[in-house]
């Protein structure tokens, strides 16, 4: 009848076609033209004017029919055009006009309400407009009078549903008992009047969008009624025709449980048990799949928040800090400190959008371009000259005749210079502070530094056998020894009644001899690792609890497994399965064991004879408590960083007394980050003592059914907005009674670094390689922070060769400022070993540069198994602006050394801080660029006149071609306000290093290149460290040396990450967080409900 389906639709054209058949429109149009409106009005405006002014039923019905047909045939653009022309107001005016009569004409009201629902569904201000027109309470009154008439009631309910999009309108309806009226229209299961029932539930759900209505409904006890309705509809709907009704009932419950009273009522009324039972039924039918996810999310949200079973949120390790009145860190300050991951986005705010990120970018041109004044007086800087021995060395040992004597005298000289610097800094601190505690601290620092130097110099003189008691006290080593000496026994077998804790000198001597035999028979040949040297070195490492046990993997050593390990595919709905098991805990408390089997703070805890045994009191270890939940399931609680109550991610512990081929589930229940690579194919690592003794000393990726999601645990003190996440994984051990170690990532201890540097120094060719290890400073606990200098010896002692040596550019590399980022140490290990190798590229780099390497900036954190901070409870990578010489000595002195290099005209050509990244794959660089920061932030600053050397991009471009793990698409060069105190930004801004980088390495693996789909191992990380060195060839000024055939053939340009443009992981396939709302069903909207109801 009407030509609304044409491609060139116009409202006026449709009206012309209606002219002959609808004389009413002609008459109305003549009236409007007489008032001089027609010349400026569209056809739609004529229709709306007719609707508002027509007093007869026939005209109104005709207009409503035309509007409905025209709107139904088009897209949402027609609806929004009508709304822009006052369509909602016209419909509301007509509703009020016809609804206020003593005897309302439902012939008009019914299509009017139906059309109003469709239009209002798209009008974000429909609620306010309805209030202004007086249509809200009128519609509610019409509903009260028509509860017995299904079509009229449904039409009123649809209108109320769209009116409730406004908070004030929804509250107005609630205040006038509209919720009670609508709830009474929701019956128990029936097959009749389903459209009206759906309309009532949808309207009820819409009204629950305000806190006032939610509180009102909860206080009236409607949650019990809703649960009974859901149970009735779910159990009796055998044909699954009312699934949509069940779904909306779940949505109502979701909204009611936004408040604490609602969640408590849900639990009290048995909602958790009801939903668990009904969900198990849903899992058996594909038709009910749409109810599973909202049911599970509702149960997750309503599980009572349970404090961690700990005496305190504060770490089990505390360290007295100098300068603090109570000798302890400020715990409250630590609670507020952000736990950001190196240069990652804020991991405590999952919903940060790009606009917030752009606001974090520095847009102040003065701050970007200006260089702040040094944070210390210039007269202090010359004392860092001892860290540049190559500049003053006379190289008398070029003939190799007096090398040993020179080394000895040099060590003595370095000791004296370092102690002089400590003394000067201490006296400066005393001048700056008038209280006596600071003076005593300076004296303590001098004493600790002196003692540490003495101990370090005695390492080689130690009798290794005399140090073996450190091993003999370890349960794992005792197990290993018994396994090797008992021909009929297997690893871990113990004689009945044997006391593991008290052992005499004879037994220690016996174990010492046995260990020697084991090393001779089974000891792996691992490059740059000496177990006996590790043992003697570890005894001098200072820890808070005073570790006297060595973890077997650290002592024995690690070899990369033969092949690469792929990322396992995520099992479908694995998180759902684990969450259901966790809900069963709450519902079936009698079935739980809930027994503490390990407590770091209580050595008297004894585990059951059939339970796993845990241990973590060794270097880098982290496990605070283990609770056996079920026969083969354990909750694990990690220890927070020392002197604070946050930063739980890193774990490393020993487990024993297992049964082979039995699946054990481990739940790390106090993780803090809102997402993890464990959701994207990452696995923890496992080391087996049994396998190591059989010639396979490998850390391997292990674990199945891995997922990471938010749980219901909370801090003991109830820290505001604090949430915890569960990492759950299942391990089936290969051997019975084995001793195994599980870790977040491949461990790398401070003692391992000390041994590595010593063995590395002995391995270099002294005729070609200048390798000098020194100590930057002592840490808070008295552990030395090593500095390594690597370069090439001059060919001769001629002036030209010496001049070339002392004018080589400097490259400064640092790492492990965050102790949990052990991957940074493995990459650094690759860098160190490559630079000391006989590779032609390494030789060219040594001849071109002087490398200054500080491989571990946070030794105390590494030793004590921390994840983020130093012993002062602070993130050291946020202390670079004004580091405290007493509380952050390694950062203070590293920055002082940089100031010194800058003051003598030797500003480093490159500064790179090695890090690990827990949220991304691949390896990538973060740098600093003024222009890119301004462009990204949308700044109005004209950058045309700004001159900036683009050389900061060179390294990334080269690495993208030669390093398989590297992805240039993940790199960025933005300067953020929140990163203003990091090493990368401070060294760029204050020291003036153009190429100042953070190099981030994944814990997981790669999603591009030849390693795509593979997890990164220690081999690949060390390769990345070597490839980083290869990329430095591009910075050598002698281009002939760079492009010589001798070097080119040693650099492979076979990689490019051209097709990898995803910077972050996609959303996890399952909800990590609790869903705050119930998602609507597919293919359901108000239009289809109205049209279906009319058709029926």
């Amino acid at each position: 009848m009407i030509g609304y389906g044409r491609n060139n639709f116009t409202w006026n054209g449709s009206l012309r076609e209606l002219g002959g058949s609808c004389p009413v429109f002609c008459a109305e149009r003549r009236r409007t033209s007489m008032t001089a409106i027609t010349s400026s009005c569209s056809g739609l405006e004529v229709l709306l004017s007719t609707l508002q002014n027509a007093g007869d039923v026939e005209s109104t019905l005709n207009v409503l029919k035309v509007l409905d047909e025209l709107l139904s045939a088009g897209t949402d653009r027609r609806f929004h055009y009508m709304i822009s022309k006052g369509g909602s107001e016209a419909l509301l005016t007509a509703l009020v006009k016809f609804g206020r009569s003593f005897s309302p004409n439902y012939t008009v009201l019914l299509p009017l309400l139906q059309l109003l629902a469709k239009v209002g569904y798209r009008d974000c201000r429909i609620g306010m407009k309805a209030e202004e027109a007086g249509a809200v309470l009128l519609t509610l009154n019409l509903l009260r009078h028509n509860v017995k008439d299904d079509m009229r009631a449904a039409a009123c309910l649809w209108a109320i549903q769209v009116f409730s999009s406004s908070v004030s309108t929804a509250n107005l309806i609630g205040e006038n008992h509209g919720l009670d009226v609508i709830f009474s229209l929701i019956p128990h299961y029936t097959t009749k009047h389903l459209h009206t029932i759906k309309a009532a539930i949808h309207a009820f759900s819409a009204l629950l969008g305000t806190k006032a209505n939610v509180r009102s409904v909860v206080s009236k006890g409607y949650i019990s009624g809703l649960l009974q309705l859901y149970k009735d509809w779910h159990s009796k709907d055998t044909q699954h025709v009312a699934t949509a009704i069940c779904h909306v009932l779940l949505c109502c419950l979701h909204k009611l449980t936004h408040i604490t009273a609602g969640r408590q009522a849900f639990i009290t009324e048995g909602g958790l048990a009801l939903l668990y039972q009904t969900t198990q039924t849903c899992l058996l039918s594909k038709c009910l799949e749409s109810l599973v996810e909202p049911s599970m999310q509702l149960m997750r949200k309503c599980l009572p928040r349970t404090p961690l079973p700990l005496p305190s949120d504060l770490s089990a390790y505390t360290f007295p800090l100098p300068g603090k009145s109570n000798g302890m860190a400020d715990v409250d300050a630590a609670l507020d400190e952000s736990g950001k991951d190196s240069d990652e986005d804020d991991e405590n705010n999952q919903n940060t959008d790009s606009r917030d990120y752009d606001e974090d970018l520095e847009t102040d041109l003065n701050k970007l371009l200006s260089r702040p004044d040094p944070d210390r007086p210039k007269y202090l800087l010359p004392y860092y000259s001892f860290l540049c021995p190559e500049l003053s060395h006379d190289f008398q040992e070029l003939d190799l005749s007096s090398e040993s004597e020179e080394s000895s005298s040099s060590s003595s000289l370095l000791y004296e210079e370092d102690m002089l610097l400590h003394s000067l800094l201490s006296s400066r601190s005393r001048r700056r502070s008038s209280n006596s505690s600071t003076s005593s601290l300076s004296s303590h620092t001098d004493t600790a530094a002196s003692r540490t130097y003495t101990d370090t110099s005695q390492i080689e003189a130690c009798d290794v056998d005399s140090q073996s008691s450190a091993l003999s006290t370890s349960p794992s080593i005792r197990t290993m020894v018994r396994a090797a000496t008992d021909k009929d026994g297997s690893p871990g077998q113990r004689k009945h009644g044997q006391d593991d804790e008290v052992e005499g000198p004879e037994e220690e001597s016996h174990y010492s001899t046995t260990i020697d035999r084991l090393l001779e028979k089974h000891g792996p040949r691992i490059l740059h690792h000496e177990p006996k040297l590790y043992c003697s070195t570890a005894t001098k490492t200072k820890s808070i609890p005073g570790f006297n046990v060595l973890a077997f993997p650290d002592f024995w050593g690690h070899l990369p497994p033969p092949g690469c390990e792929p990322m396992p595919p995520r099992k479908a709905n694995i998180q759902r399965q684990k969450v259901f098991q966790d809900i069963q805990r709450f519902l079936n408390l009698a079935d739980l064991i809930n027994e503490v089997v390990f407590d770091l703070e209580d050595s008297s805890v004894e585990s059951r004879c059939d339970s796993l045994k845990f241990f973590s009191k060794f270097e880098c270890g982290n496990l605070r408590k283990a609770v056996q939940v079920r026969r083969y399931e354990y909750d694990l609680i990690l220890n927070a960083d020392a002197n604070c109550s946050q930063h739980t991610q890193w774990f490393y512990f020993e487990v024993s007394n297992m049964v082979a081929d039995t699946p054990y589930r481990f739940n790390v229940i106090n993780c803090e980050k809102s997402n993890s690579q464990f959701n994207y194919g990452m696995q923890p690592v496992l080391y087996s003592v049994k396998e190591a003794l059989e010639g396979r000393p490998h850390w391997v990726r292990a674990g199945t059914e891995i997922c990471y999601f938010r749980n219901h645990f909370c801090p003991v003190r109830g820290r505001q907005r604090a949430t915890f996440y569960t990492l759950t994984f299942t391990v089936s051990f290969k051997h019975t009674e084995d001793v195994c170690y599980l870790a977040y990532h491949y461990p790398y201890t401070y003692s391992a670094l000390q041994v590595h540097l010593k063995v590395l120094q002995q391995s270099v060719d002294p005729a070609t390689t200048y390798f000098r290890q020194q100590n930057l400073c002592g840490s808070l606990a008295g552990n030395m922070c090593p500095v390594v200098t690597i370069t090439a010896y001059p060919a001769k002692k001629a002036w030209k060769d010496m001049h070339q040596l002392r004018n080589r550019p400097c490259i400064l590399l640092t790492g492990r400022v965050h102790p949990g980022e052990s991957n940074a140490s493995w990459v650094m290990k690759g860098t160190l070993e490559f630079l000391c190798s006989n590779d032609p590229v390494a030789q060219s780099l040594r001849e071109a540069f002087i490398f200054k390497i500080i491989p571990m900036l946070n030794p105390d954190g590494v030793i004590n198994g921390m994840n983020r901070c130093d012993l002062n409870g602070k993130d050291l990578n946020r202390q670079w602006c004004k580091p405290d010489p007493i509380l952050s000595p390694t950062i203070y002195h590293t920055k002082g050394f940089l100031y010194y290099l800058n003051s003598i005209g030797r500003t480093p050509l490159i500064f790179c801080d090695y890090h690990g990244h827990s949220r991304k794959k691949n390896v990538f660089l973060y740098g600093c660029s003024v222009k890119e920061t301004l462009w990204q932030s949308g700044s109005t600053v004209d950058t045309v006149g700004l001159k900036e050397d683009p050389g900061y991009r060179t390294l990334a471009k080269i690495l993208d071609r030669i390093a398989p793990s590297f992805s240039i698409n993940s790199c960025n060069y933005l300067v953020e306000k929140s990163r203003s105190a990091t090493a990368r930004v401070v060294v760029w801004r204050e020291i003036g290093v153009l190429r100042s980088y953070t190099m981030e390495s994944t814990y997981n693996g790669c999603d591009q290149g030849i390693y795509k789909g593979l997890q990164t191992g220690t081999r690949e990380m060390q390769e990345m460290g070597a490839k980083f060195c290869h990329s430095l060839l591009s910075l050598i000024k002698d281009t002939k040396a760079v492009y010589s055939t001798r070097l080119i053939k040693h650099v492979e340009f076979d990689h490019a990450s051209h097709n990898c443009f995803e910077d972050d992981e996609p959303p996890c396939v399952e909800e990590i967080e609790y869903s705050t709302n119930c998602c609507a069903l597919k293919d359901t909207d108000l239009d289809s409900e109205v049209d279906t109801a009319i058709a029926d």
Side-chain angles (χ1 to χ4, degrees):
M1 180 183 73
I2 302 171
Y4 54 77
R6 299 172 307 173
N7 293 331
N8 297 320
F9 166 82
T10 63
W11 292 95
N12 287 326
S14 298
L15 286 176
R16 284 194 295 271
E17 293 185 14
L18 289 170
S21 58
C22 298
V24 177
F25 290 143
C26 298
E28 179 63 25
R29 189 151 187 165
R30 284 193 296 271
R31 286 196 296 271
T32 56
S33 62
M34 291 174 62
T35 57
I37 298 177
T38 304
S39 59
S40 60
C41 289
S42 67
L44 174 61
E45 290 170 324
V46 173
L47 286 173
L48 297 179
S49 176
T50 303
L51 182 63
Q52 288 178 298
N53 299 321
D56 60 300
V57 173
E58 182 182 2
S59 298
T60 304
L61 286 174
N62 283 329
V63 171
L64 292 174
K65 182 178 180 181
V66 172
L67 288 174
D68 184 54
E69 289 183 343
L70 292 173
L71 293 173
S72 300
T75 63
D76 276 4
R77 292 181 62 185
R78 294 188 181 183
F79 282 95
H80 292 296
Y81 181 73
M82 177 178 170
I83 292 168
S84 69
K85 294 299 183 181
S88 299
E89 290 85 345
L91 292 171
L92 290 168
T93 301
L95 173 62
V96 171
K97 181 171 61 177
F98 285 96
R100 280 180 176 172
S101 61
F102 180 76
S103 180
N105 188 333
Y106 288 99
T107 304
V108 176
L109 286 176
L110 200 58
L112 182 58
L113 287 167
Q114 292 167 351
L115 184 59
L116 179 61
K118 291 182 179 181
V119 175
Y121 183 64
R122 295 162 173 85
D123 189 348
C124 60
R125 296 190 67 254
I126 187 64
M128 298 299 297
K129 293 175 181 179
E131 277 193 75
E132 294 170 1
V136 177
L137 297 181
L138 171 66
T139 306
L140 181 59
N141 191 50
L142 291 173
L143 175 62
R144 286 193 177 100
H145 288 87
N146 292 278
V147 293
K148 301 294 185 180
D149 190 301
D150 295 319
M151 285 305 300
R152 295 178 185 178
C156 294
L157 289 166
W158 290 324
I160 289 174
Q161 178 185 343
V162 298
F163 292 165
S164 300
S165 61
S166 167
V167 173
S168 62
T169 307
N171 286 336
L172 178 63
I173 295 173
E175 292 165 2
N176 286 273
H177 309 289
L179 287 162
D180 302 320
V181 175
I182 296 172
F183 188 75
S184 66
L185 295 175
I186 309 173
H188 284 273
Y189 178 76
T190 178
T191 57
K192 300 178 180 179
H193 315 304
L194 292 182
H195 292 299
T196 304
I197 297 171
K198 287 181 183 179
I201 301 176
H202 276 291
F204 190 79
S205 176
L207 289 169
L208 295 179
T210 71
K211 291 183 179 179
N213 285 346
V214 167
R215 293 192 187 100
S216 174
V217 169
V218 171
S219 65
K220 292 178 181 179
Y222 280 4
I223 286 184
S224 176
L226 287 169
L227 288 172
Q228 291 303 316
L229 285 171
Y230 180 78
K231 179 181 179 180
D232 190 59
W233 280 90
H234 186 276
S235 60
K236 295 179 181 179
D237 182 28
T238 57
Q239 301 301 315
H240 309 314
V241 296
T243 303
I245 292 177
C246 291
H247 189 274
V248 183
L249 287 171
L250 288 174
C251 290
C252 294
L253 290 169
H254 257 283
K255 293 181 178 181
L256 292 174
T257 52
H258 282 343
I259 62 174
T260 303
R263 293 190 292 272
Q264 292 174 344
F266 180 85
I267 295 294
T268 303
E269 298 297 334
L272 207 60
L274 171 62
L275 287 191
Y276 182 81
Q277 294 168 2
T278 55
T279 305
Q280 302 309 305
T281 306
C282 293
L283 291 173
L284 302 176
S285 173
K286 288 186 177 181
C287 298
L288 299 177
E289 178 69 24
S290 60
L291 301 180
V292 175
E293 186 65 19
S295 297
M296 186 185 70
Q297 294 296 343
L298 183 55
M299 288 187 284
R300 288 180 66 190
K301 183 170 68 172
C302 293
L303 275 173
R305 285 174 64 82
T306 306
L308 292 172
L310 297 174
S312 168
D313 292 316
L314 189 64
S315 171
Y317 293 159
T318 56
F319 184 81
L321 295 176
K324 299 288 184 179
S325 58
N326 58 356
M328 300 296 295
D330 188 347
V331 178
D332 292 331
L335 292 177
D336 296 332
E337 186 177 346
S338 173
K340 298 170 186 175
D341 203 12
S342 58
D343 277 303
E344 295 182 44
D345 294 343
D346 187 353
E347 301 208 355
N348 293 323
N349 185 2
Q350 183 185 10
N351 299 319
T352 301
D353 57 20
S354 59
R355 181 178 58 83
D356 296 327
Y357 177 73
D358 290 345
E359 290 176 355
D360 186 40
L361 296 178
E362 183 59 74
T363 57
D364 188 332
L365 192 59
N366 291 328
K367 290 183 178 180
L368 288 171
L369 295 178
S370 63
R371 181 177 297 183
D373 294 331
D375 61 8
R376 66 201 74 193
K378 291 184 178 180
Y379 68 81
L380 284 176
L381 302 184
Y383 294 98
Y384 288 100
S385 61
F386 79 96
L387 293 176
C388 296
E390 73 284 353
L391 299 183
S392 57
H393 205 300
D394 58 8
F395 291 95
Q396 292 290 341
E397 70 276 21
L398 283 176
D399 57 2
L400 302 181
S401 61
S402 58
E403 180 180 354
S404 59
E405 292 81 2
E406 176 62 31
S407 177
S408 175
S409 63
S410 175
S411 298
S412 175
L413 176 64
L414 295 180
Y415 164 72
E416 294 176 358
E417 290 177 339
D418 198 26
M419 292 310 302
L420 179 62
L421 179 61
H422 274 285
S423 176
L424 181 63
L425 291 175
S426 298
S427 63
R428 178 195 173 202
S429 299
R430 286 193 292 270
R431 290 196 304 269
R432 192 175 56 184
S433 175
S434 60
N435 62 47
S436 60
S437 62
T438 307
S439 299
S440 63
L441 168 64
S442 301
S443 175
H444 169 75
T445 303
D446 292 350
T447 304
S450 176
R451 183 173 62 254
T452 306
Y453 268 97
T454 304
D455 292 345
T456 304
S457 66
Q458 295 174 350
I459 287 178
E460 292 182 347
C462 287
D463 179 3
V464 176
D465 289 342
S466 69
Q467 304 297 336
S468 62
S469 61
L471 286 169
S472 66
T473 57
S474 168
S476 64
I477 302 303
R478 288 197 299 271
T479 300
M480 177 264 295
V481 170
R482 293 189 180 101
T485 55
D486 187 354
K487 294 182 180 180
D488 299 325
S490 60
Q493 288 183 336
R494 303 180 182 186
K495 296 180 181 179
H496 180 68
Q498 190 170 7
D499 185 1
D500 285 340
E501 301 301 326
V502 181
E503 298 167 351
E506 293 182 2
E507 189 174 2
E508 289 185 4
S509 177
H510 166 69
Y511 286 147
S512 175
T513 305
T514 306
I515 289 171
D516 289 338
R517 291 204 306 267
L518 282 171
L519 288 172
E520 292 176 5
K521 183 177 180 180
H522 301 286
R525 298 293 180 263
I526 298 175
L527 186 64
H528 301 134
H529 180 75
E530 294 290 343
K532 290 184 179 182
L533 182 58
Y534 184 91
C535 184
S536 63
T537 302
T539 59
K540 297 173 178 59
T541 297
K542 298 175 176 61
S543 61
I544 293 177
F547 297 136
N548 59 3
V549 170
L550 300 183
F552 183 86
D554 304 324
F555 163 76
W556 197 254
H558 154 77
L559 286 174
C564 295
E565 298 174 277
M567 300 177 197
R570 183 183 175 103
K571 185 179 177 181
N573 298 317
I574 184 60
Q575 179 180 306
R576 175 191 296 178
Q577 175 186 333
K578 300 302 179 182
V579 169
F580 282 147
Q581 292 175 8
D582 291 347
I583 293 170
Q584 279 183 310
R585 289 198 203 180
F586 180 81
L587 298 176
N588 303 309
L589 294 176
D591 297 339
L592 303 181
I593 298 175
N594 267 348
E595 182 175 323
V596 177
V597 294
F598 171 76
D599 192 335
L600 186 65
E601 301 166 275
D602 185 0
S603 58
S604 66
V605 171
E606 294 184 1
S607 58
R608 298 155 53 102
C609 61
D610 60 346
S611 75
L612 294 176
K613 300 182 185 301
F614 296 86
F615 188 74
S616 66
K617 205 168 184 180
F618 49 78
E619 188 175 347
C620 273
N622 190 316
L623 177 64
R624 184 170 183 175
K625 181 175 284 190
V627 180
Q628 186 176 16
V629 181
R630 299 184 179 98
R631 175 67 181 85
Y632 300 112
E633 182 178 354
Y634 297 83
D635 278 355
L636 309 178
I637 303 174
L638 306 183
N639 191 26
D641 284 358
N643 283 357
C644 71
S645 59
Q646 286 182 286
H647 312 297
T648 48
Q649 173 178 297
W650 170 260
F651 59 86
Y652 180 21
F653 57 87
E654 175 191 289
V655 58
S656 58
N657 202 40
M658 67 282 292
V659 177
D661 301 323
T662 299
Y664 292 91
R665 178 183 173 186
F666 298 97
N667 308 309
V668 183
I669 62 174
N670 64 330
C671 301
E672 292 183 347
K673 296 188 176 182
S674 59
N675 200 355
S676 169
Q677 279 293 315
F678 284 114
N679 276 328
Y680 303 95
M682 177 176 161
Q683 295 173 287
V685 294
L686 179 145
Y687 190 104
S688 164
V689 173
K690 175 72 172 179
E691 289 288 303
L693 292 176
E694 293 179 356
R696 297 179 293 276
H698 308 309
W699 278 106
V700 296
R701 299 280 186 167
T704 59
E705 300 185 347
I706 302 172
C707 55
Y708 185 97
F709 55 90
R710 182 176 169 183
N711 60 37
H712 62 285
F713 289 99
C714 64
V716 177
R717 277 180 47 186
R719 196 163 70 235
Q720 184 180 13
R721 293 188 298 175
T723 57
F724 287 126
Y725 297 80
T726 291
L727 163 64
T728 180
F729 57 94
T730 300
V731 175
S732 295
F733 298 99
K734 190 174 180 179
H735 305 285
T736 297
E737 291 293 327
D738 194 1
V739 177
C740 294
Y741 293 80
L742 285 165
Y744 182 89
H745 198 64
Y746 304 92
Y748 191 96
T749 66
Y750 172 75
S751 298
L753 172 66
Q754 296 285 72
V755 173
H756 183 230
L757 293 179
K758 184 166 290 291
V759 175
L760 200 61
Q761 183 169 12
Q762 296 170 355
S763 69
V764 299
D765 181 0
T768 60
T769 304
Y770 181 90
F771 184 105
R772 184 62 52 86
Q773 178 184 344
Q774 301 169 273
N775 291 314
L776 175 69
C777 63
S779 67
L780 282 172
N783 296 291
M784 287 296 108
C785 179
V787 182
V788 177
T789 301
I790 300 175
T791 190
Y793 266 85
K796 299 177 182 178
K797 200 180 175 183
W799 179 88
K800 181 179 180 181
D801 297 310
M802 298 299 291
H803 179 77
Q804 190 274 340
L805 165 68
R806 287 164 182 165
N807 283 277
R808 292 173 188 170
C810 177
I811 292 177
L812 181 60
L813 308 177
T814 62
R816 207 68 183 278
V817 70
H818 295 143
E821 296 170 5
S822 61
N823 44 359
S825 284
W826 287 102
V827 177
M828 183 65 78
K829 185 174 187 285
T831 295
L832 285 165
E833 291 182 359
F834 179 80
L835 289 176
C836 294
S837 70
N838 295 323
D839 189 288
V841 174
Q843 178 63 28
S844 294
L845 292 174
R846 291 194 297 265
E847 293 170 355
F849 303 112
I850 297 174
F851 290 89
K852 299 292 183 178
I853 301 175
I854 307 175
M856 194 170 285
L857 282 168
N858 192 348
D860 291 342
V862 173
I863 292 166
N864 293 286
M866 297 160 66
N867 180 64
R868 188 77 184 173
C869 299
D870 192 14
L871 295 186
N872 61 6
K874 302 291 185 182
D875 180 349
L876 289 183
N877 202 36
R878 297 298 186 275
Q879 309 303 313
W880 279 80
C881 279
K882 292 185 178 180
D884 190 293
I886 304 300
L887 297 180
S888 304
T890 60
I891 304 303
Y892 179 84
H893 291 300
T894 302
K895 188 177 181 182
F897 180 45
L898 282 161
Y899 275 137
Y900 169 71
L901 292 174
N902 181 257
S903 69
I904 63 173
R906 298 185 59 80
T907 301
L909 183 65
I910 288 178
F911 172 84
C912 190
D913 193 17
Y914 289 19
H915 281 259
H917 205 294
S918 68
R919 297 278 291 272
K920 296 182 181 181
K921 293 185 174 71
N922 311 311
V923 181
F924 48 93
L925 291 177
Y926 289 138
C928 301
S929 165
V930 174
K931 285 190 173 183
E932 292 196 33
T933 303
L934 294 174
W935 292 336
Q936 178 67 32
S937 65
S939 172
T940 58
V941 175
D942 184 8
T943 60
V944 175
L946 289 177
K947 293 183 179 180
E948 186 174 52
D949 187 344
Y952 63 87
R953 282 183 164 271
T954 303
L955 230 58
K957 292 178 180 179
I958 298 298
L959 284 170
D960 193 50
R961 298 297 306 277
I962 65 175
S965 301
F966 193 84
S967 172
I968 196 172
N969 298 302
S970 295
C971 300
N972 80 52
Y973 306 92
L974 306 177
V975 181
E976 306 99 324
K977 298 173 185 176
S978 60
R979 308 290 187 266
S980 61
T982 61
R984 166 178 62 97
V985 176
V986 170
V987 172
W988 170 76
R989 176 181 288 158
E990 297 189 25
I991 310 299
V993 178
L994 172 70
R995 299 174 179 87
S996 178
Y997 303 109
T998 296
M999 184 162 69
E1000 300 279 1
S1001 299
T1002 181
Y1003 288 98
N1004 186 359
C1006 300
D1007 57 11
Q1008 46 83 41
I1010 62 174
Y1011 294 149
K1012 182 176 183 179
L1014 301 177
Q1015 296 183 84
T1016 300
T1018 56
R1019 181 192 297 108
E1020 291 74 35
M1021 287 185 280
Q1022 289 181 248
E1023 177 193 60
M1024 184 63 225
K1027 294 296 185 182
F1028 179 82
C1029 296
H1030 279 95
S1031 70
L1032 301 178
L1033 281 174
S1034 62
L1035 302 178
I1036 297 178
K1037 292 183 178 180
D1038 184 359
T1039 56
K1040 292 182 179 180
V1042 177
Y1043 296 107
S1044 67
T1045 306
R1046 180 175 67 92
L1047 296 183
I1048 287 295
K1049 66 181 181 181
H1050 291 276
V1051 182
E1052 298 179 359
F1053 295 87
D1054 60 353
H1055 166 70
S1057 55
H1058 297 308
N1059 298 319
C1060 178
F1061 295 100
E1062 292 296 330
D1063 189 40
D1064 293 306
E1065 294 289 356
C1068 187
V1069 293
E1070 297 184 84
E1071 286 285 348
I1072 300 171
E1073 299 284 341
Y1074 303 159
S1075 292
T1076 55
N1077 292 305
C1078 189
C1079 298
L1081 289 174
K1082 294 181 179 180
D1083 302 324
T1084 59
D1085 56 50
L1086 188 58
D1087 284 6
S1088 60
E1089 288 289 336
V1090 174
D1091 292 338
T1092 305
I1094 295 172
D1096 292 346

